Amino acid sequence: MEKERVIIIGSGPAGLTAAIYTARAQLNPLVIAGTQIGGQIAITSEVENYPGFWSPERTPTGPELVEIMQKQAEHFGARLEYDEVVAVDFTKGSPFYIKTYGKEYMADAVIVTAGASPRRLGVPGEEEFIGRGVSYCGTCDGFFFRGKDVIVVGGGDSALEEGLFLTKFADSVQVVHRRDEFRAGPALQKRAAANEKMSFVWNTVVEEIEGNGSVQAVKARNVKTGDVQTLAVDGVFIFIGHYPNSKFLEGQLAMDEHGYVITDELMRTSVPGVYAAGEIQDAIYRQIGTSVGQGVAAGMQTERWLSERE
Ligand code: NAP
């Protein structure tokens, strides 16, 4: 079994930032990166609101930011392992046991930054047509909908931002939202309203996704009138929020009723020596900037905790 000083579970902005800080503190951290380095920003098209990289000529993309963060972490000595954690045992205290698909580890301290995943609608046809018209990522799949008609489900920033991105490819993008006003910020609402390819279906929920090999239509019900209409579409992009990737931590760390890991202002979890940062513990802000800040705090606290013990 391999013994590490610090293991960071996850490689999104929180994890890579914690890696930079613990690497610069000479702790030689190991990042277990998961299936996709960068987490959700790896599949984000344009990042307009993370300070320091934007210019009027050019908005950075998510993958560009991930590449810089990864290089920075590796430059200072962090190591990345492309594997996924399947189980942990934190019950006996430090050193902590971590099992991935490929290996087993012990670590003196752990920083959990496993992030969050898109929520599913839970309607008939959704699972069946994933990858065949149903998608949770415009940036990843928009290209396949060139000249097609799609709907976006949701009314938050993600729905409008991804919907706007999809207008680069699709002929039409209808935003289906369950209420009559958006949760999204005013700037995105203004851009969406001004885009000729976008239209809005208010007070409406998708009840079923239909097709034959790939998506052909959705059944949508107006929640005010009860009327059900069939919308002929080639793609259904779902942006209705996220859930934390904390299943493997059940029974190990204190969580709230939605599965978010509970931390204090020092990013401490319920187990001394285990810290958490980013969207696995933050259901409120969920920004690159806040995840980076929490990663800084978790990295610094881990270093302090280890040096106080020694
Ligand atoms: P969100 O803000 O939680 O919005 C989710 C949307 O989905 C809401 O409009 C919600 O409707 C709707 N919804 C939830 N469950 C549903 C269901 N079962 N059926 C139909 N609709 C459902 O999630 P998000 O848009 O992913 O944004 C998450 C966070 O990331 C926010 O803090 C956001 O500001 C941030 N973000 C920021 C940017 C940016 O600044 N450029 C971009 C993306 C995300 P209701 O409105 O009725 O609740």
Side-chain angles (χ1 to χ4, degrees):
M1 199 173 317
E2 306 194 19
K3 174 78 182 353
E4 300 285 344
R5 302 291 314 282
V6 177
I7 286 186
I8 297 166
I9 303 174
S11 61
L16 292 176
T17 304
I20 292 166
Y21 272 71
T22 48
R24 294 190 77 252
Q26 307 299 317
L27 292 170
N28 193 28
L30 176 72
V31 179
I32 300 176
T35 45
Q36 180 164 45
I37 180 148
Q40 292 181 71
I41 59 161
I43 53 169
T44 301
S45 49
E46 294 181 332
V47 181
E48 287 182 324
N49 53 9
Y50 184 58
F53 295 90
W54 181 89
S55 78
E57 293 75 40
R58 206 163 172 286
T59 301
T61 67
E64 280 168 350
L65 289 180
V66 173
E67 197 185 329
I68 297 168
M69 290 181 196
Q70 178 185 351
K71 277 194 184 140
Q72 200 172 347
E74 288 180 327
H75 172 79
F76 290 111
R79 294 157 297 137
L80 267 73
E81 189 82 49
Y82 294 88
D83 201 346
E84 224 174 310
V85 173
V86 289
V88 298
D89 187 354
F90 297 158
T91 57
K92 296 176 192 75
S94 175
F96 303 105
Y97 172 79
I98 293 175
K99 183 176 164 50
T100 66
Y101 281 114
K103 284 185 190 160
E104 291 177 294
Y105 302 90
M106 297 302 286
D108 290 332
V110 178
I111 305 175
V112 183
T113 64
S117 296
R119 278 179 57 201
R120 306 261 162 114
L121 270 178
V123 298
E126 183 178 18
E127 293 286 330
E128 181 186 346
F129 292 115
I130 288 175
R132 291 183 290 151
V134 170
S135 171
Y136 304 86
C137 178
T139 316
C140 321
D141 299 330
F143 185 80
F144 302 112
F145 293 85
R146 199 176 282 277
K148 310 253 179 173
D149 300 305
V150 304
I151 63 161
V152 161
V153 183
D157 284 329
S158 299
L160 294 196
E161 192 170 80
E162 297 273 336
L164 282 161
F165 180 78
L166 287 167
T167 62
K168 295 183 185 178
F169 306 98
D171 274 357
S172 73
V173 177
Q174 292 183 79
V175 182
V176 177
H177 183 36
R178 65 184 178 182
R179 289 189 294 134
D180 61 0
E181 61 179 315
F182 284 131
R183 182 178 293 277
L188 274 169
Q189 288 198 39
K190 206 167 151 196
R191 278 173 60 201
N195 191 305
E196 283 176 1
K197 285 189 179 177
M198 286 188 97
S199 60
F200 308 99
V201 186
W202 302 107
N203 298 313
T204 299
V205 293
V206 169
E207 288 199 320
E208 188 171 351
I209 300 169
E210 301 171 334
N212 186 2
S214 62
V215 168
Q216 291 172 326
V218 296
K219 270 212 180 87
R221 182 172 55 85
N222 184 303
V223 293
K224 291 250 158 93
T225 63
D227 291 347
V228 176
Q229 57 173 326
T230 299
L231 303 170
V233 291
D234 307 292
V236 180
F237 286 81
I238 299 165
F239 305 107
I240 58 165
H242 294 82
Y243 64 88
N245 298 321
S246 59
K247 195 112 192 86
F248 70 100
L249 297 167
E250 273 172 13
Q252 302 288 331
L253 297 177
M255 296 180 197
D256 71 10
E257 70 272 27
H258 303 293
Y260 286 91
V261 172
I262 295 171
T263 51
D264 65 8
E265 71 278 19
L266 303 181
M267 312 322 291
R268 290 184 293 204
T269 68
S270 54
V271 174
V274 179
Y275 295 80
E279 293 190 22
I280 193 135
Q281 55 82 59
D282 171 19
I284 299 171
Y285 299 110
R286 308 188 56 258
Q287 302 296 299
I288 300 171
T290 45
S291 290
V292 164
Q294 293 153 4
V296 171
M300 289 178 73
Q301 290 305 327
T302 300
E303 192 276 322
R304 283 177 194 168
W305 186 79
L306 284 171
S307 50
E308 274 164 21
R309 286 174 87 223
E310 280 152 18

